[in-house]
């Protein structure tokens, strides 16, 4: 593999904006045909965007969290499926940052700078709850591990060079095993049939006695024993995707109304874009989108502040800011994507136009974790100064 190495935040944003425009052109067709974006992901790898959080002392740009969130927002406004695929990539890069040894960091950061993609194999179906992880790492006499389990919703795994797998050891401690995509005993099944995000290939990963060397296993349970930003960054990227979907839906609605919609006969105007009731509604939708973008920026700055001085207090402020951003972004994505049809008129519902992909993507993506619990933690923090829990979903 070979990839461009991005120098700084400004270049990262310029590259993301350029790729977003490129990916937008065929986004609808990929969705309709369920054409998996292998070529587009190769472009993403070659661009260097997947290595922008590599530390400077390892040759990376080490961009700010604000820049990272904006990269995802730009990509999601163009193609929410494509933007979703690297979300876990950056979450598991953070695990390497936090829990990797110097040798592990050196190895994996070099892989990233060369264009390697990390997938994920974390969620399991049929368990008691989302953190009931039953996949096991069994210690071998030689110090390596055998990895066994079944994972679902494994976004990015089909396209990954390395698949980080959440698993527990005999003492029930949570670890991440980084497994190469061609490891014997590893099977990635393209069986995702979601109504939205159709081209993420978020299918099943089967692990049958996969041999994992000890130096490819990181102690993820240690992440949550101290103040941490693992959950905040992961959730911030989800919020960025939702915010991007909302912006994309609003832009598409405006284009449709300007070029295709007819004015309502009672309005007395020549074009739909002059209808005062539509103008009012677009104004209200724009306020929601701008509020989501503002909260996203605020949350990203809170994470960057905490990165500079990580304490229980700064980590809590970051998590609460991200939670507020995620609540607003999730609501806005679904509402704006749904309102697209109301403002555009009957023709917009034609299946051949595929405008419903924005709503399908929003409705699917916002199911990742319930915002009702984020609101609970925000309320407890505001009312009783209760610090949010340390876990990867907040």
């Amino acid at each position: 593999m070979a990839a461009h190495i991005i120098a700084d935040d400004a270049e990262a944003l310029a590259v993301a904006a350029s790729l977003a425009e490129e990916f937008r052109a065929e986004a609808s067709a990929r969705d309709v045909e369920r054409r998996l974006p292998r070529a587009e992901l190769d472009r993403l790898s070659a661009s260097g965007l997947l290595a922008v959080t590599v530390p400077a002392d390892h040759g990376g740009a080490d961009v700010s969290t604000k820049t990272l969130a904006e990269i995802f927002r730009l990509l999601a406004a163009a193609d929410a499926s494509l933007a979703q695929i690297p979300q876990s990539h950056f979450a598991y890069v953070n695990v390497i940052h936090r829990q990797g040894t110097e040798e592990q960091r050196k190895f994996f950061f070099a892989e990233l700078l060369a264009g390697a993609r990390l997938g994920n194999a974390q969620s399991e179906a049929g368990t008691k709850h989302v953190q009931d992880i039953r996949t096991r790492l069994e210690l071998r006499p030689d110090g390596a591990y055998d990895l066994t389990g079944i994972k679902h919703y494994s976004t990015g795994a089909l396209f990954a060079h390395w698949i980080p797998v959440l698993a527990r050891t005999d003492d029930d401690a949570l670890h991440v095993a980084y497994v190469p995509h061609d490891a014997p005993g590893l099977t990635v099944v393209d069986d995702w049939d979601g109504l939205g995000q159709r081209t993420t290939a978020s299918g099943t990963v089967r692990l049958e006695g996969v041999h994992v060397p000890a130096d490819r296993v990181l102690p993820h349970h240690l992440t949550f024993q101290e103040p941490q930003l693992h959950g905040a960054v992961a959730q911030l990227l989800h919020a960025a995707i939702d915010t991007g979907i909302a912006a994309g839906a609003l832009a598409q609605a405006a284009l449709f109304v300007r070029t295709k919609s007819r004015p309502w006969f009672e309005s007395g105007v020549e074009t739909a874009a002059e209808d005062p009731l539509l103008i009012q509604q677009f104004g209200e939708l724009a306020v929601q989108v701008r509020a989501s973008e503002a909260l996203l920026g605020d949350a990203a700055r809170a994470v960057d502040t905490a990165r500079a001085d990580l304490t229980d207090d700064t980590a809590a402020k970051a998590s609460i800011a991200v939670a507020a951003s995620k609540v607003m972004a999730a609501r806005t994505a679904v509402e704006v994507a749904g309102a697209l049809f109301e403002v555009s008129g009957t023709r917009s519902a034609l299946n051949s136009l595929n405008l419903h992909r924005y709503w399908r993507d929003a409705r699917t993506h916002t199911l990742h974790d319930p915002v009702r619990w984020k609101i609970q933690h925000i309320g407890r923090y505001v009312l009783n100064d209760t610090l949010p829990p340390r876990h990867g979903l907040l």
Side-chain angles (χ1 to χ4, degrees):
M1 291 181 294
H4 173 69
I5 296 179
I6 288 175
D8 53 28
D9 291 60
E11 184 184 5
L13 291 173
V15 170
S18 176
L19 283 179
E21 284 305 307
E22 179 183 326
F23 296 157
R24 180 179 284 108
E26 293 292 316
S28 180
R30 284 193 295 272
D31 176 83
V32 169
E33 301 165 14
R34 198 176 179 276
R35 189 198 322 153
L36 300 181
R38 297 180 185 275
E40 288 76 15
L41 286 170
D42 286 343
R43 290 277 294 119
L44 197 62
S45 284
S47 75
L49 278 181
L50 296 181
V52 293
T53 60
V54 170
D57 58 0
H58 284 269
D62 195 16
V63 302
S64 69
T65 309
K66 188 174 185 298
T67 292
L68 185 62
E70 180 63 6
I71 289 169
F72 273 79
R73 191 194 70 80
L74 289 167
L75 293 175
D79 184 340
S81 286
L82 211 157
Q84 177 60 35
I85 292 170
Q87 188 271 340
S88 291
H89 169 97
F90 285 98
Y92 287 105
V93 171
N94 281 346
V95 176
I96 298 168
H97 271 274
R98 181 83 180 209
Q99 301 302 339
T101 64
E102 184 56 33
E103 283 303 309
Q104 287 170 327
R105 292 191 190 103
K106 182 179 179 180
F107 173 81
F108 279 111
F109 290 154
E111 287 280 293
L112 295 170
L113 289 169
R117 296 189 292 270
L118 307 183
N120 95 79
Q122 55 187 24
S123 295
E124 299 180 12
T127 57
K128 186 176 181 180
H129 51 69
V130 70
Q131 292 196 331
D132 181 16
I133 303 297
R134 300 182 184 179
T135 297
R136 292 296 171 192
L137 277 165
E138 297 182 8
L139 187 63
R140 295 160 51 105
D142 62 1
Y145 293 89
D146 286 327
L147 179 62
T148 302
I150 299 177
K151 299 290 189 175
H152 300 269
Y153 313 119
S154 302
T155 303
L158 190 67
F159 314 109
H161 300 100
W162 291 87
I163 302 176
V165 181
L166 275 185
R168 296 190 185 276
T169 48
D170 289 341
D171 59 359
D172 213 37
L174 191 64
H175 290 70
V176 178
Y178 289 75
V179 182
H181 70 97
D182 56 354
L186 168 68
T187 305
V188 182
V189 185
D190 178 20
D191 56 1
W192 170 243
D193 65 348
L195 67 88
Q197 295 194 299
R198 289 176 172 175
T199 60
T200 59
S202 302
T204 301
V205 171
R206 300 182 183 277
L207 305 136
E208 300 177 3
V210 177
H211 178 267
V212 184
D215 63 356
R216 297 294 177 262
V217 177
L218 278 68
H220 193 31
H221 60 284
L222 298 180
T223 300
F224 307 103
Q225 293 181 6
E226 302 173 344
Q228 52 81 38
L229 296 170
H230 179 81
V233 172
Q235 290 298 303
L236 182 73
L237 300 186
H238 282 308
I241 292 168
D242 290 339
T243 302
I245 293 172
L250 183 62
Q252 187 63 57
L255 176 64
F256 195 93
V257 169
R258 286 195 300 266
T259 60
K260 295 182 174 63
S261 295
R262 297 181 297 177
W264 184 243
F265 72 96
E266 293 178 286
S267 66
V269 297
E270 291 298 315
T271 67
E274 297 172 283
D275 185 332
L277 298 183
L278 281 181
I279 290 171
Q280 175 72 20
Q281 193 158 5
F282 268 94
E284 292 173 351
L285 295 174
V287 167
Q288 288 182 266
V289 172
R290 291 174 73 114
S292 295
E293 291 171 349
L295 283 173
L296 182 69
D298 178 70
R301 285 188 292 272
V303 173
D304 281 328
T305 297
R307 281 177 63 185
D309 180 21
L310 188 57
T311 65
D312 279 325
D313 184 55
T314 60
K317 288 179 179 177
S319 289
I320 293 300
V322 170
S325 173
K326 183 66 166 63
V327 170
M328 185 66 184
R331 289 175 174 174
T332 300
V334 173
E335 290 176 14
V336 174
L340 184 157
F341 302 100
E342 183 180 351
V343 297
S344 300
T346 306
R347 186 181 175 190
S348 65
L350 293 178
N351 193 56
S352 59
L353 296 177
N354 197 31
L355 295 179
H356 48 70
R357 74 181 174 94
Y358 294 98
W359 184 87
R360 289 187 288 102
D361 286 343
R363 184 63 284 173
T364 301
H365 183 256
T366 54
L367 296 175
H368 269 86
D369 48 273
V371 297
R372 59 185 178 272
W373 273 99
K374 299 185 188 306
I375 293 171
Q376 279 284 313
H377 292 305
I378 294 169
R380 292 170 184 175
Y381 181 78
V382 171
L383 187 60
N384 298 315
D385 294 324
T386 302
L387 298 184
R390 294 173 181 165
H391 59 61
L393 298 174
L394 191 67

